[in-house]
Amino acid sequence: MPGPLVHVSATVMCPHGGQVTAISSNTRVLVSGTPVVTVSDQYLIAGCVFTIPGPKPSPCVTARWLTPAARVQVNGQPVIVQSSTGICSSPEQVPQGPPLIVATQPRVIGQ
């Protein structure tokens, strides 16, 4: 599905309010002055408050994207667009829910 390209400065959150930070290897393709993110980049989460009953809290710590753009690539890797879907995971890699792309640049659209 088409949508605005997501970049390093976009606001992305886990379903529990944690902030997703992209660590991009892309240095060549910029939108709004910051690198576009791709499916192969690393996505770390800080500030997730999710806990489950029991002795060990289980906050979201990483995110990965399952449906990146089908037609747009950067350095051979599909980019992430606002309509992309993904999953946030705990330290044990237990799925915690989808990441939410709250705000990104509106000018460059990809599919």
Side-chain angles (χ1 to χ4, degrees):
M1 293 184 71
L5 270 58
V6 178
H7 54 85
V8 172
S9 298
T11 303
V12 182
M13 302 177 83
C14 80
H16 316 105
Q19 180 69 41
V20 178
T21 302
I23 301 171
S24 180
S25 59
N26 165 38
T27 58
R28 300 187 71 160
V29 180
L30 309 176
V31 293
S32 297
T34 59
V36 172
V37 295
T38 67
V39 71
S40 65
D41 291 334
Q42 187 176 16
Y43 300 90
L44 304 177
I45 302 172
C48 177
V49 296
F50 183 65
T51 58
I52 55 174
K56 188 174 182 184
S58 188
C60 299
V61 294
T62 61
R64 66 184 166 90
W65 296 97
L66 305 174
T67 57
R71 295 179 151 192
V72 180
Q73 296 183 350
V74 170
N75 297 328
Q77 295 296 318
V79 299
I80 303 304
V81 294
Q82 194 164 19
S83 59
S84 294
T85 59
I87 192 78
C88 296
S89 300
S90 71
E92 295 81 22
Q93 296 304 303
V94 175
Q96 307 281 51
L100 309 167
I101 300 171
V102 179
T104 190
Q105 58 77 38
R107 298 183 83 177
V108 181
I109 306 295
Q111 183 172 3

